[in-house]
């Protein structure tokens, strides 16, 4: 490959990889935890700039808000992606999630494209409608072949997924969080590098985001420190090595790689369901099947956090009943509730601007949306969870850099909202809305 003379190519290409729920201890205490991550060790632990104590996630520490914060450098209250699922007590939106890139602040995909980079993404959460050159988004409908049709329709350009699937097989939709699904995500990212970014590297550098989900899912199903979760992480490490090697080949080493996670995770001990108390207080009505048909107040979960909204903020009677429930919960040491934050408090923490209250649970008490049954039970829906307080050490995310111009060492006081402005600084592109900072300055 001929070394490019174009001024644009003197700037490094940037590869951003999110490994969902990767806790710093799995990076830096591999022997204790019985996990082997040779690629992460070689590229980052031994030769990279890392945050050994992790980075502080956002409020809530939930996948979709975190990823949009990662790619914009802003908090959820600013970019508007405040939860995984859209607030929807009666199911009008059929379980829709915030699949979409926000339309309030600039994303790193858009900034890179405007700054002369070829901008791409593979399977990154909150990327439908992203303003880039090649966007293979995360989206789903029912987990069937229909998913590929839908994803192809919302990909940029249209037809990208169909072209890709001729070479790699079925592109993994967001419902396939298994090891096999991640294997397809890895193939898709390699395909993007080889078929879309490599051929134009003489003209311009690239920015590409990629994503792996299976470590998080294995932890949900089997526990944070389970052998299954460790196995998933080791498979991700192998695929990460392949991605970095291919990106280095394409760029002839003119590359910076950033590996991050969105949050940490911890093992659950209980499930708690505030909506059961709201229903008992007459604030939720259900039909004979237990489906919500109307509500004056409703609690929607975000793992170890829940947003409680009033249907009508001017409904004083509902507001009073809701406050009574909130007061009871915080006064009861057995409720599993650690904190209750009001609307102003939530906005100060950067999340849930439409909430009347936000419930933040004690460690291990996952919040659920059930409207019938017991308020508190030990029968778990998931063995591990995130969404807990961003102040918990267990919720700290990973942040690692390696490549051209990166001096190995340790970083302190890193936040998730620092990812985008740091990478924007490396690419010398403008990200005017970012609340975070460039940690290299």
């Amino acid at each position: 490959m001929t070394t490019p003379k174009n001024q644009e190519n003197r700037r490094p290409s940037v590869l951003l990889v999110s490994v969902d729920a990767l806790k710093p201890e799995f990076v830096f205490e591999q022997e204790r935890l019985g996990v082997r991550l040779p690629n992460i060790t070689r590229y980052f632990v031994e030769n990279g700039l890392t945050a050994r104590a992790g980075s502080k996630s956002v409020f809530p520490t939930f996948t979709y808000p975190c990823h949009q914060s990662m790619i914009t450098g802003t908090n959820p209250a600013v970019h508007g992606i405040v939860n995984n699922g859209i607030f929807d007590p009666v199911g009008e939106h059929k379980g829709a999630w915030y699949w979409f890139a926000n339309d309030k602040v600039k994303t790193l995909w858009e900034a890179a494209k405007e700054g002369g980079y070829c901008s791409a993404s593979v399977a990154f959460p909150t990327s439908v409608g992203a303003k880039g050159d090649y966007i293979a988004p995360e989206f789903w409908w029912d987990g069937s072949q229909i998913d590929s049709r839908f994803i192809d329709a919302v990909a940029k350009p249209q037809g990208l997924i169909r072209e890709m699937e001729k070479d790699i097989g079925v592109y993994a939709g967001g419902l396939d969080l298994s090891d096999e699904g991640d294997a397809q995500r890895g193939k898709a990212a390699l395909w993007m590098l080889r078929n879309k970014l490599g051929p134009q590297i003489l003209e311009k550098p690239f920015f590409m985001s990629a994503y792996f989900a299976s470590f998080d899912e294995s932890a949900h199903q089997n526990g944070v420190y389970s052998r299954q979760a460790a196995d998933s992480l080791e498979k991700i490490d192998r695929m990460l090595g392949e991605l970095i090697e291919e990106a280095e080949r394409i760029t002839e080493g003119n590359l910076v790689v950033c590996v991050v996670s969105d949050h940490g995770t911890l093992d659950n001990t209980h499930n708690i369901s505030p909506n059961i108390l709201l229903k008992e207080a007459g604030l939720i009505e259900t039909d004979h099947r237990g489906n919500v048909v109307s509500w004056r107040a409703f609690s929607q979960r975000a793992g170890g956090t829940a947003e409680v909204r009033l249907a009508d903020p001017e409904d004083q009677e509902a507001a009073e009943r809701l406050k009574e429930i909130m007061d009871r919960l915080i006064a009861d040491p057995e409720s599993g509730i650690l904190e209750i934050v009001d609307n102003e408090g939530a906005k100060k923490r950067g999340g849930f601007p439409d909430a009347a209250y936000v419930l933040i649970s004690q460690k291990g008490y996952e919040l659920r949306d059930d409207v019938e049954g017991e308020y508190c039970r030990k029968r778990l829906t998931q063995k591990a969870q995130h969404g807990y307080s961003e102040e918990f050490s267990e919720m700290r995310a990973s942040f690692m850099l390696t490549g051209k111009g990166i001096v190995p060492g340790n970083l302190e006081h890193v936040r998730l909202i620092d990812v985008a402005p740091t990478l924007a600084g490396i690419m010398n592109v403008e990200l005017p809305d970012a609340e975070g900072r460039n940690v290299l300055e």
Side-chain angles (χ1 to χ4, degrees), residues 188-338:
L190 283 171
W191 184 92
M192 188 76 81
L193 284 170
R194 291 166 179 162
N195 292 275
K196 299 301 177 183
L197 306 183
Q200 53 72 61
I201 199 67
L202 293 177
E203 301 300 323
K204 59 174 66 175
F206 67 77
F207 166 66
M208 188 177 90
S209 60
Y211 171 70
F212 292 107
S214 59
F215 175 67
D216 179 62
E217 182 65 11
S218 291
H220 281 313
Q221 300 303 320
N222 303 289
V224 179
Y225 304 104
S226 64
R227 186 63 248 171
Q228 294 95 326
D231 288 345
S232 291
L233 187 54
E234 289 175 349
K235 291 174 184 175
I236 290 170
D237 181 76
R238 288 195 291 273
M239 291 185 286
L240 179 61
E242 292 173 355
L243 276 181
I244 296 174
E245 185 177 321
E246 183 64 18
E248 285 183 327
R249 183 190 68 80
I250 289 170
T251 62
E252 295 186 329
N254 190 16
L255 174 74
V256 171
V257 182
C258 181
V259 171
V260 295
S261 64
D262 42 358
H263 48 67
T265 188
L266 60 82
D267 287 327
N268 291 329
T269 58
H270 297 76
N271 280 175
I272 52 177
S273 303
N275 282 325
I276 290 169
L277 305 182
L278 270 58
K279 182 183 177 184
E280 289 174 355
L283 296 172
I284 295 173
E285 292 186 8
T286 61
D287 60 19
H288 66 284
R289 294 188 179 90
N291 299 314
V292 176
V293 293
S294 67
W295 61 284
R296 297 169 71 186
F298 190 83
S299 168
Q300 180 164 301
R301 64 180 291 272
T305 303
E307 174 189 15
V308 185
R309 291 191 194 182
L310 287 163
D312 178 5
E314 303 302 318
D315 185 344
Q316 291 300 316
E317 182 187 14
E320 290 171 6
R321 290 190 202 177
L322 181 59
K323 186 177 185 305
E324 290 175 2
I325 295 170
M326 298 295 104
D327 290 343
R328 290 202 328 258
L329 285 172
I330 201 62
D332 181 3
E334 303 297 319
S335 70
I337 299 299
L338 177 69

Side-chain angles (χ1 to χ4, degrees), residues 58-60 64-87 97-107 126 300 307 309 347 350-355 417 433 435:
V58 294
F59 180 66
Y64 271 41
C66 287
H67 276 84
Q68 195 65 191
S69 289
M70 192 190 302
I71 208 72
T72 64
T74 65
N75 283 292
V78 173
H79 60 63
I81 312 302
V82 299
N83 204 332
N84 285 353
I86 292 171
F87 196 88
W97 280 33
Y98 282 99
W99 294 299
F100 317 98
N102 87 95
D103 57 6
K104 296 181 178 181
V105 297
K106 185 171 288 188
T107 69
T126 66
Q300 180 164 301
E307 174 189 15
R309 291 191 194 182
K347 287 189 285 190
F352 301 118
D354 298 317
I417 58 173
D433 306 302
E435 299 175 288

